[in-house]
Short mmCIF file of all heavy atoms in Angstrom, two decimals:
data_model
loop_
_atom_site.label_atom_id
_atom_site.label_comp_id
_atom_site.label_asym_id
_atom_site.label_seq_id
_atom_site.Cartn_x
_atom_site.Cartn_y
_atom_site.Cartn_z
N GLN A 18 91.45 7.24 58.47
CA GLN A 18 92.21 6.47 59.36
C GLN A 18 92.52 7.44 60.60
O GLN A 18 93.47 8.21 60.55
CB GLN A 18 93.58 6.06 58.74
CG GLN A 18 93.31 5.33 57.36
CD GLN A 18 92.50 3.95 57.68
OE1 GLN A 18 92.55 3.35 58.78
NE2 GLN A 18 91.70 3.64 56.60
N LEU A 19 91.78 7.29 61.62
CA LEU A 19 91.80 8.24 62.76
C LEU A 19 93.14 8.04 63.57
O LEU A 19 93.53 8.91 64.16
CB LEU A 19 90.67 7.96 63.70
CG LEU A 19 89.27 8.25 63.14
CD1 LEU A 19 88.15 7.95 64.12
CD2 LEU A 19 89.16 9.71 62.78
N ASN A 20 93.71 6.83 63.54
CA ASN A 20 94.98 6.63 64.27
C ASN A 20 96.09 7.53 63.81
O ASN A 20 97.00 7.86 64.68
CB ASN A 20 95.35 5.11 64.12
CG ASN A 20 94.70 4.35 65.14
OD1 ASN A 20 94.32 4.66 66.20
ND2 ASN A 20 94.31 3.07 64.68
N TRP A 21 96.15 7.87 62.56
CA TRP A 21 97.25 8.76 62.05
C TRP A 21 97.10 10.21 62.42
O TRP A 21 97.99 10.96 62.25
CB TRP A 21 97.36 8.53 60.52
CG TRP A 21 97.71 7.27 60.06
CD1 TRP A 21 96.83 6.48 59.35
CD2 TRP A 21 98.87 6.48 60.39
NE1 TRP A 21 97.47 5.24 59.08
CE2 TRP A 21 98.70 5.20 59.67
CE3 TRP A 21 100.14 6.74 60.98
CZ2 TRP A 21 99.76 4.25 59.66
CZ3 TRP A 21 101.05 5.77 61.05
CH2 TRP A 21 100.86 4.59 60.43
N ILE A 22 95.96 10.54 63.04
CA ILE A 22 95.77 11.94 63.52
C ILE A 22 96.82 12.18 64.62
O ILE A 22 97.04 13.48 64.94
CB ILE A 22 94.31 12.19 63.94
CG1 ILE A 22 93.37 11.98 62.77
CG2 ILE A 22 94.11 13.53 64.62
CD1 ILE A 22 91.94 12.27 63.14
N SER A 23 97.20 11.18 65.28
CA SER A 23 98.27 11.37 66.42
C SER A 23 99.53 12.14 65.91
O SER A 23 100.20 12.75 66.67
CB SER A 23 98.62 10.07 67.05
OG SER A 23 99.27 9.26 66.18
N LEU A 24 99.75 12.04 64.63
CA LEU A 24 100.85 12.68 64.04
C LEU A 24 100.70 14.22 63.94
O LEU A 24 101.70 15.02 63.93
CB LEU A 24 101.25 12.24 62.59
CG LEU A 24 101.87 10.76 62.51
CD1 LEU A 24 101.87 10.26 61.12
CD2 LEU A 24 103.21 10.62 63.23
N ILE A 25 99.44 14.59 63.99
CA ILE A 25 98.98 16.04 63.96
C ILE A 25 98.87 16.54 65.30
O ILE A 25 99.26 17.70 65.70
CB ILE A 25 97.76 16.30 63.11
CG1 ILE A 25 98.04 15.71 61.66
CG2 ILE A 25 97.43 17.79 63.03
CD1 ILE A 25 96.84 15.82 60.75
N LEU A 26 98.20 15.70 66.10
CA LEU A 26 97.99 16.14 67.49
C LEU A 26 99.27 16.39 68.29
O LEU A 26 99.23 17.00 69.41
CB LEU A 26 97.14 15.05 68.25
CG LEU A 26 95.71 14.91 67.75
CD1 LEU A 26 94.94 13.84 68.49
CD2 LEU A 26 94.95 16.22 67.86
N ILE A 27 100.37 15.94 67.84
CA ILE A 27 101.65 16.03 68.67
C ILE A 27 102.02 17.56 68.76
O ILE A 27 102.57 17.88 69.77
CB ILE A 27 102.80 15.42 67.90
CG1 ILE A 27 104.08 15.37 68.60
CG2 ILE A 27 102.96 16.06 66.52
CD1 ILE A 27 105.25 14.70 67.98
N PHE A 28 101.50 18.44 67.90
CA PHE A 28 101.87 19.82 68.08
C PHE A 28 101.08 20.36 69.26
O PHE A 28 101.53 21.53 69.67
CB PHE A 28 101.46 20.56 66.77
CG PHE A 28 102.20 20.19 65.55
CD1 PHE A 28 101.73 19.27 64.60
CD2 PHE A 28 103.56 20.60 65.47
CE1 PHE A 28 102.36 18.98 63.47
CE2 PHE A 28 104.26 20.20 64.28
CZ PHE A 28 103.70 19.40 63.31
N LEU A 29 99.99 19.79 69.72
CA LEU A 29 99.36 20.33 70.90
C LEU A 29 100.09 19.97 72.18
O LEU A 29 99.83 20.69 73.23
CB LEU A 29 97.95 19.60 71.03
CG LEU A 29 97.03 19.91 69.87
CD1 LEU A 29 95.65 19.23 70.10
CD2 LEU A 29 96.83 21.39 69.71
N PHE A 30 101.06 19.09 72.11
CA PHE A 30 101.83 18.72 73.33
C PHE A 30 103.11 19.42 73.43
O PHE A 30 103.80 19.19 74.44
CB PHE A 30 102.02 17.12 73.35
CG PHE A 30 100.81 16.36 73.51
CD1 PHE A 30 99.99 15.99 72.46
CD2 PHE A 30 100.39 16.01 74.78
CE1 PHE A 30 98.84 15.43 72.58
CE2 PHE A 30 99.21 15.33 74.88
CZ PHE A 30 98.35 15.04 73.85
N LEU A 76 110.25 15.32 68.07
CA LEU A 76 109.16 14.67 67.48
C LEU A 76 109.06 13.22 67.82
O LEU A 76 108.01 12.71 68.22
CB LEU A 76 109.25 14.79 65.84
CG LEU A 76 108.25 14.07 65.00
CD1 LEU A 76 106.85 14.77 65.20
CD2 LEU A 76 108.65 14.04 63.54
N ILE A 79 108.12 12.62 71.69
CA ILE A 79 106.61 12.93 72.00
C ILE A 79 105.77 11.72 71.39
O ILE A 79 104.80 11.35 72.01
CB ILE A 79 106.16 14.30 71.59
CG1 ILE A 79 107.02 15.35 72.28
CG2 ILE A 79 104.75 14.51 71.81
CD1 ILE A 79 106.61 16.86 71.97
N ILE A 80 106.02 11.43 70.21
CA ILE A 80 105.34 10.33 69.58
C ILE A 80 105.33 9.09 70.41
O ILE A 80 104.45 8.37 70.67
CB ILE A 80 105.84 10.08 68.14
CG1 ILE A 80 105.26 11.21 67.28
CG2 ILE A 80 105.18 8.70 67.52
CD1 ILE A 80 105.77 11.06 65.76
N MET A 83 103.39 9.39 73.67
CA MET A 83 102.09 9.40 73.36
C MET A 83 101.46 8.04 73.16
O MET A 83 100.38 7.64 73.54
CB MET A 83 101.63 10.27 72.16
CG MET A 83 101.65 11.76 72.43
SD MET A 83 101.29 12.74 70.88
CE MET A 83 99.65 12.08 70.60
N GLY A 84 102.39 7.16 72.67
CA GLY A 84 101.93 5.79 72.45
C GLY A 84 101.88 4.92 73.56
O GLY A 84 101.23 3.88 73.62
N THR A 89 95.72 4.23 72.65
CA THR A 89 96.24 5.19 71.64
C THR A 89 97.17 4.34 70.71
O THR A 89 97.60 3.20 70.98
CB THR A 89 97.17 6.28 72.25
OG1 THR A 89 98.20 5.77 73.18
CG2 THR A 89 96.31 7.25 73.06
N PHE A 90 97.70 5.02 69.70
CA PHE A 90 98.38 4.36 68.53
C PHE A 90 99.79 4.95 68.44
O PHE A 90 99.96 6.08 68.78
CB PHE A 90 97.68 4.49 67.26
CG PHE A 90 98.29 4.04 65.99
CD1 PHE A 90 98.45 2.67 65.84
CD2 PHE A 90 98.96 4.79 65.13
CE1 PHE A 90 99.08 2.12 64.86
CE2 PHE A 90 99.52 4.30 63.99
CZ PHE A 90 99.66 2.94 63.81
N THR A 91 100.81 4.07 68.30
CA THR A 91 102.23 4.50 68.23
C THR A 91 102.55 4.54 66.70
O THR A 91 102.86 3.49 66.25
CB THR A 91 103.12 3.68 69.05
OG1 THR A 91 102.53 3.39 70.40
CG2 THR A 91 104.49 4.12 69.23
N PRO A 92 102.74 5.60 66.04
CA PRO A 92 103.07 5.66 64.78
C PRO A 92 104.54 5.14 64.43
O PRO A 92 104.88 4.50 63.38
CB PRO A 92 103.05 7.15 64.25
CG PRO A 92 102.15 7.75 65.41
CD PRO A 92 102.39 6.98 66.61
N THR A 93 105.54 5.23 65.44
CA THR A 93 106.78 4.87 65.29
C THR A 93 106.97 3.37 65.33
O THR A 93 107.98 2.73 64.97
CB THR A 93 107.77 5.44 66.23
OG1 THR A 93 107.21 5.26 67.66
CG2 THR A 93 108.04 6.88 66.01
#
Side-chain angles (χ1 to χ4, degrees):
Q18 306 301 328
L19 296 176
N20 277 324
W21 296 113
I22 295 180
S23 59
L24 291 172
I25 303 174
L26 293 178
I27 185 176
F28 295 104
L29 299 177
F30 293 87
L76 174 68
I79 296 180
I80 286 177
M83 283 179 59
T89 56
F90 177 68
T91 310
T93 49

